[in-house]
RNA sequence: GCUCCCGUAGCUCAGCUGGAUAGAGCAUCGGAUUUCUAAUCCGACGGUCGCAGGUUCGAAUCCUGCCGGGGGCGCCA
């Protein structure tokens, strides 16, 4: 669709804002906001505008009169059948049904279902997933990966240039211990079979030894220094750890259908660290304290931040500053977005503040999400109650396979497995994406793998049924020509469906702007519910010619919207379930 | 001690830049399948939106305090 074309909400908002401006020009209310949004209830029309009530306070006048005056000033609009003032001063907007049907036909002709290219010409760097080398990915990693990937897809869909960067934890102090562990404890057979598991084992063993044996800890520090000084043997070992870990991560990303433009660990920026510290010192931000270099952030109401340890090593904040510097130089992004759990809020507040003070001019955004917990409390590596990500995905696929075999016993086995994979993985992703990211998640198998109600399988099932409708139509009416018949909206549920379909672009925009994929998930669930009601209660293949074609076209649009929406969430849509 | 987040139906959660009678799913109960995929649909039951103040025509939403839960706070990332 023409990028100039905006969403229904935007068009109506401009119309209403103009109306208010014209009606109250003399009051110099040029900056008036008159947002139009979807009506909260069907009986209040299709869209509503609540600006009159806010204005009433400023003008000290009756809100209903203000609303009336605005409607008078607005005059007729080609899309709008009528406006009504209701309640305390709500303006309820009723759209012409014929216009809705026309709009559906425009959307149908557009590859992006009417979504404007809002991000055209802008670049956004998305920093997500970012697991640590030599540690397995567990259920705590899935939110960053799945939410980050959904934001990735949403931005791309809106025309942004997206740089998805997997900022691996590959340059920490753990490598000294890891090298010591490798030299003394490694089991090569185990390393070949389950690399990360073995790396984790030798790390834990080395860590435990360091706690009781100071000499061991000293050796580990020495190994770390050698690595940081670029000793070839140490670098080779480090590279081995990274490669082995990455290989396993990639297997999980493949299963999750997640891909990155860049996989640059912290190590990528290590040559910049000294320069960043120089910059901070030049600007008078970094000062010496107890042998370390620290930045005071009292003005910002934040605790001080250590940017260089007393032993000369650099900290996370410094590394992140170097990363920002590099990203600005290379990509000139309009935003750099980090997707991590809530525990890093303070860190990001500190490092954003330092970046600002140091003149690293970038729109830095921290999208944080609540920590995943188990019903019995937080999970931790120490207590051994972590749930590994691959195991969870296996379980999801197994449960889905049982359902598919039950529902479609005649389906070829390979297809059953393929469908089960899509459904199982979809269920896991949706369980995360359908909630407000900023809430604690209590992990339960049944919830994460829920297959009915508000779940990915419900949406996938709705989609599969529509696909079946399309096929049956072509089968039974081989010479039917859908394009020959216009879309008509006779039944109330058809109109409801239309109203939801035209809102898709604004939902996508809002979900992207607020970094809240769950807004899109909510919308899709609502759309699928409305469709299921339509499917159950309105005949279409059995309807008379014309009506039949109109309804099949409507089905087609719902299918495309569901498919597109689920695709933006990274969830597949099998044609059959 | 300082600080951030959360508290909505029995359970899991939406709704939060103030708007109309607070919504879903699960669970429970009742109904729908000779007919387009029943992983479905239709209906019922279920709430002092943690508590108390405040701002406002209007508060789950904003402010203050308290209670309860979780996270973070100088040499980890």
């Amino acid at each position: 669709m023409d990028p100039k074309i905006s969403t229904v909400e935007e068009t109506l908002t401009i119309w209403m804002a103009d109306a208010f401006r014209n009606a109250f020009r003399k009051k110099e209310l040029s900056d008036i906001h008159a947002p139009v949004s979807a009506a909260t209830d069907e009986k209040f029309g299709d869209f509503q505008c609540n600006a009159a009530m806010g204005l009433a306070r400023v003008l000290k006048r009756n809100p209903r009169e203000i609303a009336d005056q605005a409607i008078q000033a607005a005059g007729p609009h080609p899309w709008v059948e009528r406006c009504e003032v209701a309640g305390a001063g709500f303006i309820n907007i009723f759209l012409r049904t014929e216009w809705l049907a026309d709009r559906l036909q425009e959307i149908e002709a557009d590859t992006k279902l009417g979504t404007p290219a809002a991000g055209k010409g802008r670049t956004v760097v998305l920093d997500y997933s970012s697991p640590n080398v030599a540690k397995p990915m567990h259920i705590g990693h899935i939110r960053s990966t799945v939410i980050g990937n959904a934001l990735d897809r949403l931005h791309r869909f809106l025309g942004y240039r997206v740089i998805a960067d997997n900022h691996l934890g590959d340059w920490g102090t753990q490598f000294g211990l890891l090298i010591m562990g490798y030299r003394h404890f490694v089991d090569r057979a185990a390393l070949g079979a389950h690399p990360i598991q073995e790396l984790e084992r030798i790390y834990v063993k080395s860590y435990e030894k360091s706690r009781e044996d100071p000499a061991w800890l000293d050796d580990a520090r020495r190994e770390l220094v050698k690595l940081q000084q670029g000793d070839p043997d140490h670098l080779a070992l480090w590279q081995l750890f990274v490669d082995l870990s990455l290989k396993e991560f990639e297997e999980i990303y493949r299963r999750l259908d997640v891909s990155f433009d860049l996989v640059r660990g912290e190590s990528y920026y290590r040559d910049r660290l000294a320069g960043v510290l120089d910059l901070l010192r030049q600007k008078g931000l970094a000062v010496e304290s107890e042998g370390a270099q620290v930045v005071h952030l009292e003005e910002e109401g934040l605790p001080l931040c250590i940017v260089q340890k007393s032993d000369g090593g650099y900290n996370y904040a410094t590394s992140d500053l170097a990363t920002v510097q590099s990203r600005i130089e290379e990509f000139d992004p309009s935003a750099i977005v980090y997707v991590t759990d809530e525990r890093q809020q303070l860190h990001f507040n500190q490092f954003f503040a330092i970046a600002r003070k140091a003149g690293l001019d970038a729109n830095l955004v921290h999208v944080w999400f609540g920590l995943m917990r188990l019903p019995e409390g937080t999970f931790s590596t120490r207590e051994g109650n972590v749930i590994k990500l691959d195991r969870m995905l296996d379980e999801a696929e197994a449960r889905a396979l049982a359902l598919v075999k039950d529902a479609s016993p005649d389906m070829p086995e390979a297809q059953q497995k393929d469908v089960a994979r899509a459904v199982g993985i979809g269920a896991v992703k949706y369980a995360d994406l359908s909630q407000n990211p900023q809430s604690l998640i209590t992990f339960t198998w049944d919830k994460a793998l829920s297959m009915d109600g508000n779940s990915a399988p419900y949406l996938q099932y709705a989609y599969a049924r529509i696909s079946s409708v399309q096929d049956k139509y072509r089968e039974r009416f081989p010479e039917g020509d859908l394009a020959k018949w216009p879309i008509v909206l006779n039944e109330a549920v058809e109109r409801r469906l239309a109203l939801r379909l035209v809102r898709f672009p604004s939902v996508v925009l809002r979900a992207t702007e607020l970094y809240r994929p769950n807004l899109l998930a909510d919308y899709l669930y609502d759309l699928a519910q409305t469709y299921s009601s339509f499917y159950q209660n309105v005949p279409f293949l059995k309807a008379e010619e014309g009506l039949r074609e109109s309804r099949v076209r409507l089905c087609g649009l719902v299918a495309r919207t569901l498919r597109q929406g689920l695709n933006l969430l990274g969830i597949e849509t099998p044609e059959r379930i």
Side-chain angles (χ1 to χ4, degrees):
Chain A
M1 191 170 278
D2 189 319
K4 290 195 296 282
I5 292 181
S6 56
T7 64
V8 178
E9 284 87 341
E10 280 167 351
T11 303
L12 294 177
T13 295
I14 290 167
W15 176 59
M16 271 286 124
D18 282 345
F20 274 98
R21 266 194 287 275
N22 288 335
F24 304 100
R25 186 180 297 142
K26 42 202 123 82
K27 310 291 183 188
E28 295 175 7
L29 296 165
S30 54
D31 60 341
I32 190 167
H33 294 291
V36 171
S37 54
T40 52
D41 192 296
E42 246 178 46
K43 63 176 176 277
F44 300 139
D46 302 321
F47 288 88
Q48 63 180 42
C49 176
N50 304 340
M53 290 172 288
L55 207 55
R57 185 176 313 165
V58 184
L59 298 179
K60 301 208 190 314
R61 283 182 45 198
N62 182 321
R64 292 187 60 112
E65 278 173 26
I66 291 173
D68 267 328
Q69 231 173 305
I71 290 171
Q72 290 306 313
H77 187 284
W79 301 1
V80 177
E81 186 186 291
R82 67 181 197 281
C83 292
E84 285 175 0
V85 178
F90 300 92
I91 297 175
N92 294 338
I93 300 169
F94 297 77
L95 296 177
R96 291 177 45 231
T97 303
E98 301 73 35
W99 177 79
L100 265 178
D102 289 347
R103 180 76 172 192
L104 290 184
Q105 286 169 176
E106 283 172 40
I107 288 173
E108 197 181 41
D110 179 49
T111 53
K112 294 202 164 183
L113 300 160
T115 310
K120 204 164 183 184
R122 283 191 285 169
T123 299
V124 57
V125 175
L126 282 173
D127 185 323
Y128 68 93
S129 194
S130 310
N132 288 321
V133 164
K135 287 186 191 163
M137 289 178 84
H138 54 76
I139 56 169
H141 290 105
I142 197 171
R143 299 202 83 185
S144 175
T145 307
V146 167
I147 293 169
N149 187 244
L151 294 176
D152 181 336
R153 292 164 181 266
L154 283 164
H155 279 89
R156 272 179 227 275
F157 185 65
L158 289 175
Y160 287 88
R161 172 191 180 217
V162 175
I163 312 291
D165 189 3
N166 193 3
H167 192 67
L168 297 179
D170 68 350
W171 201 245
T173 45
Q174 75 268 32
F175 284 95
L177 285 168
L178 208 47
I179 288 171
M180 287 296 286
Y182 182 84
R183 293 219 169 117
H184 295 83
F185 311 127
V186 75
D187 175 341
R188 288 186 186 277
L191 193 65
H194 304 286
I196 293 183
Q197 195 179 313
E198 177 62 7
L199 288 175
E200 192 192 25
R201 188 187 69 84
I202 62 176
Y203 172 77
V204 169
K205 207 164 168 189
S206 181
Y207 174 76
E208 282 167 358
K209 196 162 167 62
S210 74
R211 299 198 61 169
E212 51 204 41
D213 182 355
W216 183 273
L217 190 58
D218 283 344
D219 286 345
R221 287 208 180 104
R222 260 193 295 282
E223 300 293 3
L224 179 67
V225 171
K226 279 193 183 161
L227 172 65
Q228 287 174 339
Q229 287 169 344
D231 177 87
D233 289 344
H234 289 72
L235 274 179
L237 216 45
W238 166 79
Q239 190 67 53
L240 176 71
F241 300 152
V242 173
D243 290 346
L244 287 173
S245 302
L246 213 44
K247 212 176 127 200
E248 273 196 64
F249 295 156
E250 273 162 7
E251 171 61 14
I252 286 183
Y253 294 138
R254 190 189 58 73
R255 293 180 76 177
L256 291 174
D257 193 18
V258 165
S259 61
F260 297 92
D261 301 288
L262 299 173
V263 181
R264 286 182 182 167
E266 292 161 46
S267 64
Y268 181 86
Y269 307 95
R270 62 184 187 260
D271 293 338
R272 285 178 174 267
L273 297 173
V276 168
L277 183 64
D278 284 346
L279 175 70
L280 296 180
R281 289 188 58 82
Q282 271 170 33
K283 300 245 175 191
L285 295 171
V287 295
E288 195 271 336
S289 168
E290 295 174 33
Q293 296 292 325
V294 305
V295 177
H296 287 278
L297 297 166
E298 280 87 4
E299 288 171 28
E300 285 75 16
L302 295 168
L304 65 73
C305 180
I306 296 178
V307 291
Q308 188 184 33
K309 297 186 278 184
S310 50
D311 69 1
Y314 297 97
N315 298 61
Y316 188 25
T318 320
S319 175
D320 272 342
L321 288 165
T323 305
V324 168
Q325 193 181 52
S326 166
R327 285 171 175 166
I328 291 173
E329 287 172 13
E330 188 171 353
F331 304 116
D332 186 29
S334 62
I336 303 177
V337 181
Y338 300 83
V339 186
T340 82
D341 71 60
E342 61 179 326
R343 285 176 303 183
Q344 303 202 32
Q345 277 188 92
L346 175 60
H347 161 70
F348 280 103
N349 282 334
Q350 288 178 317
F351 126 67
F352 287 179
I354 298 172
R356 203 164 43 240
K357 289 181 136 182
L360 291 174
D361 197 19
N363 174 26
L364 303 173
V365 180
H366 183 209
V367 175
W368 58 266
F369 51 85
L371 211 53
M372 180 106 66
R373 299 187 308 165
L374 297 172
E376 56 270 29
T378 50
F379 64 92
S380 71
T381 319
R382 201 168 306 163
E383 285 168 36
N385 60 357
V386 287
I387 296 167
K388 302 249 172 86
L389 200 42
D390 52 357
R391 217 195 103 210
M392 176 160 92
L393 300 183
D394 291 344
E395 174 78 16
E397 291 183 19
R399 290 194 189 200
L401 186 59
L403 283 172
V404 173
K405 287 196 158 159
D406 198 44
S408 307
D410 299 331
M411 189 183 275
E413 204 180 329
Q415 194 184 351
Q416 283 179 335
K417 281 194 170 159
D418 204 44
V419 169
R421 189 187 49 71
V423 169
I425 301 292
V428 168
K429 288 187 173 188
Y430 190 87
D432 262 342
L433 291 169
S434 61
Q435 311 197 26
N436 186 333
Q438 301 184 345
S439 58
L440 271 69
I441 280 204
T442 303
F443 178 88
T444 62
W445 284 103
D446 284 339
K447 180 156 186 262
L449 306 181
S450 164
M451 308 262 171
D452 46 29
N454 188 357
S455 69
Y458 177 91
L459 300 172
Q460 290 167 320
Y461 178 65
Y463 178 81
R465 287 200 294 187
I466 305 177
S467 295
S468 178
V469 167
Q470 308 279 344
D471 290 353
K472 288 237 160 67
Y473 175 78
R474 277 186 288 274
E475 203 176 285
R476 292 186 198 175
F477 310 97
E479 64 280 357
D481 184 0
L482 294 176
K484 253 173 62 184
W485 299 92
I487 294 178
V488 288
L489 305 169
N490 290 341
E491 301 288 330
V493 69
E494 291 179 286
R495 199 176 183 286
R496 274 199 284 278
L497 221 35
L499 216 42
R500 279 157 180 76
L501 291 170
V502 303
R503 289 189 47 224
F504 176 73
S506 67
V507 171
V508 168
L509 280 170
R510 204 169 128 78
T512 309
E513 280 162 8
L514 298 178
Y515 305 104
R516 294 264 312 272
N518 74 302
L519 298 175
L520 177 57
D522 282 352
Y523 164 85
L524 292 174
Y525 181 60
D526 182 44
L527 175 65
Q529 270 185 314
T530 308
Y531 176 77
S532 291
S533 180
F534 168 68
Y535 177 91
Q536 202 81 20
N537 298 306
V538 179
F540 28 93
L541 291 181
K542 294 186 196 89
E544 64 189 74
E545 189 178 32
L547 214 47
R548 178 171 67 221
E549 278 69 19
S550 167
R551 286 174 182 165
V552 171
R553 282 178 79 176
L554 203 51
C555 285
L557 258 177
V558 172
R560 279 181 56 203
T561 306
L562 284 176
R563 187 174 61 215
Q564 182 62 259
L566 285 169
N567 177 275
L568 290 173
L569 297 178
I571 294 169
E572 288 181 56
T573 44
E575 298 296 313
R576 293 285 176 277
I577 284 185

